[in-house]
Amino acid sequence: AQVLVQSGGGSVQGGGSLRLSCAATGYRRNPESMAWFRQAPGKEREGIASIDSVRDAVYADSAKGRFTVSLDTAKNTLHLQMSSLKPEDTSMYYCAATDRWLKGADAIIQANYNYWGQGTQVSVSS
């Protein structure tokens, strides 16, 4: 079965950095698109960054300039390097994958993904 296993996250002070990882296992072929979403209590899930099989990346405005998404195709692992973290980045972060090749804004829409990681908490203090 296709499973996404997340690691990383935790607590950090504002201005600090964290790295999230997401290993895709059980896939006969690598997903065409993978992405990171986050959801804070009482808010809708927000797409923040995605990357496709040719490593084209899409970022939400909230992530541009601070977050970097990358894909290790040899290990089928997605990463999100987060820097200059702010208290408003506090949220549960989820990775997602799909066999569809998504481009542009479609790449950070949650309805376009059918595989999800278990979620990992990121907490940023002021």
Side-chain angles (χ1 to χ4, degrees):
Q2 296 95 332
V3 178
L4 300 177
V5 180
Q6 295 182 223
S7 59
S11 298
V12 67
Q13 282 194 324
S17 298
L18 284 173
R19 189 189 198 210
L20 306 181
S21 297
C22 171
T25 63
Y27 288 81
R28 283 185 291 179
R29 51 177 287 183
N30 293 348
E32 289 293 340
S33 301
M34 298 185 75
W36 290 100
F37 293 78
R38 67 185 182 187
Q39 187 169 21
K43 294 188 176 182
E44 292 188 355
R45 191 167 295 188
E46 171 195 16
I48 53 175
S50 72
I51 191 166
D52 63 19
S53 55
V54 296
R55 295 187 171 83
D56 285 339
V58 175
Y59 294 94
D61 288 344
S62 58
K64 287 178 182 177
R66 299 188 301 127
F67 295 0
T68 302
V69 62
S70 61
L71 180 64
D72 183 340
T73 54
K75 297 180 179 180
N76 216 9
T77 299
L78 179 73
H79 301 287
L80 184 68
Q81 180 67 44
M82 303 183 292
S83 60
S84 302
L85 283 163
K86 307 174 184 178
E88 50 264 43
D89 294 317
T90 295
S91 192
M92 185 72 78
Y93 284 71
Y94 298 89
C95 65
T98 179
D99 294 330
R100 297 171 58 194
W101 192 19
L102 301 173
K103 308 297 284 186
D106 287 344
I108 49 173
I109 294 176
Q110 65 166 325
N112 290 330
Y113 290 86
N114 51 343
Y115 301 105
W116 292 87
Q118 81 275 20
T120 186
Q121 180 67 37
V122 170
S123 298
V124 184
S125 58
S126 57

